[in-house]
Amino acid sequence: MTGPILGVETTCDETSAAVLDRRGQILGMVIHSQDVHRIYGGVVPELAARDHLKRIEPVVSAALAEAGVERRELRAVAVAAAPGLIGALLVGVSWARAAAFALGVPWVPVHHMEGHLFGPVLEDPDAVPPFVALLVSGGHTLLLWVPEWGRYHLLGQTRDDAAGEAFDKVAKLLGLPYPGGPAVQEAAREGDPSRYRFPRPMMRATGSGAFDFSFSGLKTSVAQTVAGIGAGRGLEGERAHLAASFQQAVVDVLTAKTLAATRAVGCDRVLLGGGVSANGPLRARFREALGHGGRLFVGSPRVSLDNGAMIARAGQFRLDRGDFGRLRDARASVTIPGMTPWVHDSPRNGYRN
Ligand code: KG4
Ligand code: ZN
């Protein structure tokens, strides 16, 4: 049981496959980002599924060729089985199950967000629990206390839009392309982040919602400001300032909540995962805020955005543990195996430090 493992990712608009050796090193990885959605300004589920179907075989073949690994050498086939677009998920899961059956090896269903937790450790062997994890992607915003792999205490999550979704929607309002995150970050470079004072929703919330997020009010505030400016030359001149001011509001909220969480659990090791963690100003702010005392674990964009390697790495963990939680098939929506609510000061939290 020491052979390499294949990881397959098709939850949204990336078709990716990667091969890892038994130590978790990436031997080969291919990521195909679909651009069939560009003209629609967002992901069209049916087009995503069809494109995955077309790409999956060549993407896997290319990853295996890069790794110099033959299919018969594989120890297992891991696949992101949830959450995501059901048609897209079914392509990856059906492919992985069929491949594993043909090869006589196990298929390993992986939760996509657990995959994101395993992104940074692909590049940094120190990126292991205990840590407070902020997972920020197009569909999720999760704040977790992770005392050890497989134990995920949910501190807070978004009550409406995900952080990445807010970037994507604001990009659309500003006339920027999809995906919005990189476009907003780029536009913001020339902008003054203090030009517009957008709200920081729930930043000072206390009690049971202290670690929850809300981004839809912020998005509405940007929409109203844009409507007030009007289209054309006015917006043209303000775009960079709007992007910078919005980005600043998101960064403020994400860092404030995560740092409050580190104080609540008594651990100043922080892991950032998911596509939004590729954001430059967000990383810079965390680096600065954690200073010399704390530790920040964040991968390069290659392992932060959707990729097959994080799925293979989480799959290795699940396979060794022999526990896939409730994941048995493609599921559009299901919680991470091992996730439980966080109860302040409970010994069940695995409180450390
Ligand atoms: O994790 P991910 O690749 O896919 C999902 O699981 O959703 O995250 C994609 C999200 C998109 O919303 C995209 O706009 C955002 O991550 N994103 C960024 C940046 N790069 C990608 N957001 C802010 N700044 C970036 N540089
Ligand atoms: Zn993702």
Side-chain angles (χ1 to χ4, degrees):
M1 291 297 275
T2 56
I5 186 165
L6 175 70
V8 171
E9 158 64 40
T10 66
T11 60
C12 189
D13 58 346
E14 261 86 31
T15 316
S16 179
V19 184
L20 299 194
D21 69 13
R22 68 186 164 76
R23 289 168 304 127
Q25 299 293 313
I26 302 176
L27 299 176
M29 169 145 84
V30 173
I31 303 171
H32 166 75
S33 293
Q34 302 180 344
D35 57 17
V36 286
H37 312 289
R38 193 164 273 271
I39 55 168
Y40 302 100
V43 178
V44 183
E46 178 65 19
L47 294 181
R50 284 170 190 264
D51 202 55
H52 285 306
L53 203 51
K54 211 157 64 187
R55 306 284 177 176
I56 183 121
E57 185 54 40
V59 162
V60 170
S61 295
L64 286 162
E66 189 184 312
V69 167
E70 301 282 342
R71 291 179 194 225
R72 59 183 157 70
E73 294 174 61
L74 292 172
R75 166 197 180 198
V77 181
V79 61
L85 303 170
I86 194 65
L89 285 164
L90 277 167
V91 175
V93 168
S94 310
W95 188 94
R97 292 181 80 162
F101 181 72
L103 294 167
V105 298
W107 78 283
V108 185
V110 169
H111 193 286
H112 178 82
M113 299 313 287
E114 185 171 43
H116 278 305
L117 282 175
F118 280 91
V121 78
L122 290 164
E123 296 175 337
D124 176 1
D126 290 342
V128 293
F131 51 65
V132 169
L134 175 69
L135 298 183
V136 271
S137 69
H140 294 83
T141 305
L142 294 171
L143 194 53
L144 305 171
W145 161 230
V146 182
E148 62 186 18
W149 291 125
R151 282 178 67 200
Y152 308 123
H153 295 291
L154 179 65
L155 290 154
Q157 59 188 325
T158 185
R159 296 192 173 183
D160 39 59
D161 293 352
E165 191 179 352
F167 270 96
D168 295 334
K169 287 178 174 169
V170 165
K172 215 170 194 174
L173 290 169
L174 300 181
L176 295 167
Y178 179 88
V184 169
Q185 181 182 328
E186 182 57 29
R189 271 161 38 119
E190 307 292 319
D192 171 6
S194 57
R195 177 74 70 102
Y196 294 95
R197 183 72 198 162
F198 291 128
R200 271 83 173 140
M202 300 190 72
M203 192 154 91
R204 314 237 171 271
T206 53
S208 63
F211 299 120
D212 280 347
F213 303 86
S214 165
F215 292 107
S216 101
L218 170 59
K219 170 199 66 193
T220 304
S221 178
V222 177
Q224 284 167 348
T225 308
V226 169
I229 294 169
R233 300 247 327 258
L235 180 59
E236 203 60 45
E238 292 304 306
R239 184 178 287 121
H241 303 310
L242 289 161
S245 304
F246 160 76
Q247 182 173 254
Q248 178 94 340
V250 176
V251 168
D252 281 356
V253 174
L254 294 178
T255 42
K257 296 259 176 187
T258 308
L259 293 174
T262 63
R263 291 190 289 273
V265 301
C267 174
D268 56 6
R269 292 161 60 88
V270 171
L271 176 134
L272 302 183
V276 180
S277 73
N279 186 269
L282 180 72
R283 290 164 174 242
R285 176 72 77 77
F286 266 104
R287 277 217 174 84
E288 188 189 307
L290 284 163
H292 295 300
R295 287 293 305 270
L296 179 67
F297 304 112
V298 56
S300 68
R302 185 166 111 108
V303 296
S304 302
L305 294 154
D306 289 353
N307 67 87
M310 68 181 197
I311 301 302
R313 186 63 190 76
Q316 248 172 2
F317 166 72
R318 286 287 158 195
L319 183 63
D320 291 343
R321 164 180 279 232
D323 169 17
F324 311 135
R326 285 183 296 145
L327 287 177
R328 295 280 180 270
D329 204 347
R331 297 270 295 273
S333 173
V334 61
T335 57
I336 307 178
M339 191 161 91
T340 54
W342 182 73
V343 185
H344 192 72
D345 279 347
S346 160
R348 283 200 318 120
N349 290 334
Y351 189 88
R352 301 230 195 153
N353 282 11

